[in-house]
Amino acid sequence: EDKVVQSPLSLVVHEGDTVTLNCSYEVTNFRSLLWYKQEKKAPTFLFMLTSSGIEKKSGRLSSILDKKELSSILNITATQTGDSAIYLCAASNNAGNMLTFGGGTRLMVKP
Amino acid sequence: EAQVTQNPRYLITVTGKKLTVTCSQNMNHEYMSWYRQDPGLGLRQIYYSMNVEVTDKGDVPEGYKVSRKEKRNFPLILESPSPNQTSLYFCASSSQGAGGTEAFFGQGTRLTVV
């Protein structure tokens, strides 16, 4: 059975701090790993990673995949209160039919 | 505007009363999927559809049915809802299967079964 585990479960930081969120996966015939941000409603897409070692960056957020370690990290630098959300990691298989999500990391950024 | 539309957004119902949650997308996506979200469990896949008339079970299909008669619509049917189906439900669609590209999510349906 495919499995995705995220850590930590929750995190409280102050504005300006840098955070690293972790995601590990066990997926048969792995295809890609995706990161989503969820505030009060629907998850919104952040990154899709398919190749090991290539960093994807968007503003203060960046992410990288390590296929050898079956893991990915999401970094957020200079955090702001607007970064407060649940961050979800998901892994897909080559058949393109299943997307397995981790339990999420709840990030709270205090002013 | 590209979007996935779910209805209703909120629903309180009684045990055993059949209900349908609708999902419609306007992006001509072949792949659609339903998830439920419960605290601490992330999103769990209920059913998915690779194309019209092609549906299959996800990780937690018990108690649910789906149909895909048209490309744009993918309704979720609870024939006899029970309290353990109280959850937040999301419909999603994407153009290249699960994980091939970003998935677009509906706004969610919060279902309470009493």
Side-chain angles (χ1 to χ4, degrees):
Chain A
E1 184 182 327
D2 296 343
K3 190 176 173 184
V4 175
V5 177
Q6 293 184 244
S7 64
L9 288 180
S10 66
L11 197 51
V12 180
V13 300
H14 287 95
E15 273 192 318
D17 289 349
T18 293
V19 298
T20 298
L21 309 183
N22 301 290
C23 175
S24 64
Y25 62 90
E26 292 175 28
V27 172
T28 305
N29 297 320
F30 172 80
R31 178 187 192 184
S32 64
L33 189 131
L34 298 93
W35 284 96
Y36 285 86
K37 177 182 182 183
Q38 186 179 24
E39 295 173 90
K40 290 184 181 173
K41 38 191 182 179
T44 53
F45 175 78
L46 294 174
F47 299 110
M48 185 177 84
L49 306 158
T50 56
S51 300
S52 208
I54 299 174
E55 185 183 54
K56 292 223 173 171
K57 207 167 163 61
S58 175
R60 296 177 293 102
L61 278 67
S62 64
S63 184
I64 195 162
L65 178 66
D66 185 339
K67 282 185 172 179
K68 192 174 174 185
E69 296 295 326
L70 305 183
S71 66
S72 174
I73 60 170
L74 175 69
N75 281 320
I76 309 175
T77 60
T79 51
Q80 302 171 356
T81 55
D83 295 325
S84 296
I86 297 172
Y87 289 84
L88 297 165
C89 163
S92 72
N93 59 13
N94 255 333
N97 54 1
M98 297 288 290
L99 195 57
T100 303
F101 280 83
T105 293
R106 184 181 292 273
L107 174 65
M108 180 182 291
V109 181
K110 291 189 171 180
Chain B
E1 181 192 350
Q3 59 185 5
V4 178
T5 304
Q6 286 179 234
N7 280 297
R9 294 287 311 280
Y10 301 91
L11 180 60
I12 300 175
T13 190
V14 296
T15 299
K17 185 176 181 183
K18 181 180 178 179
L19 66 92
T20 300
V21 184
T22 63
C23 173
S24 181
Q25 50 96 1
N26 63 1
M27 295 165 279
N28 203 36
H29 287 166
E30 292 180 344
Y31 181 85
M32 296 185 75
S33 186
W34 276 102
Y35 301 88
R36 62 177 287 173
Q37 186 174 30
D38 302 291
L41 296 178
L43 276 75
R44 293 181 291 167
Q45 196 162 16
I46 303 171
Y47 269 93
Y48 64 90
S49 170
M50 300 294 284
N51 212 327
V52 175
E53 302 291 3
V54 181
T55 63
D56 209 344
K57 297 176 181 177
D59 291 322
V60 288
E62 295 78 21
Y64 305 94
K65 283 174 58 177
V66 293
S67 69
R68 188 91 182 273
K69 293 187 171 61
E70 309 162 278
K71 202 170 192 178
R72 63 183 293 124
N73 295 322
F74 190 44
L76 179 70
I77 303 153
L78 285 72
E79 295 265 359
S80 183
S82 62
N84 65 12
Q85 293 178 296
T86 292
S87 188
L88 179 59
Y89 291 86
F90 287 104
C91 177
S93 73
S94 62
S95 60
Q96 296 178 32
T101 185
E102 71 168 291
F104 291 80
F105 284 82
Q107 290 303 297
T109 295
R110 188 166 291 282
L111 172 66
T112 302
V113 184
V114 297

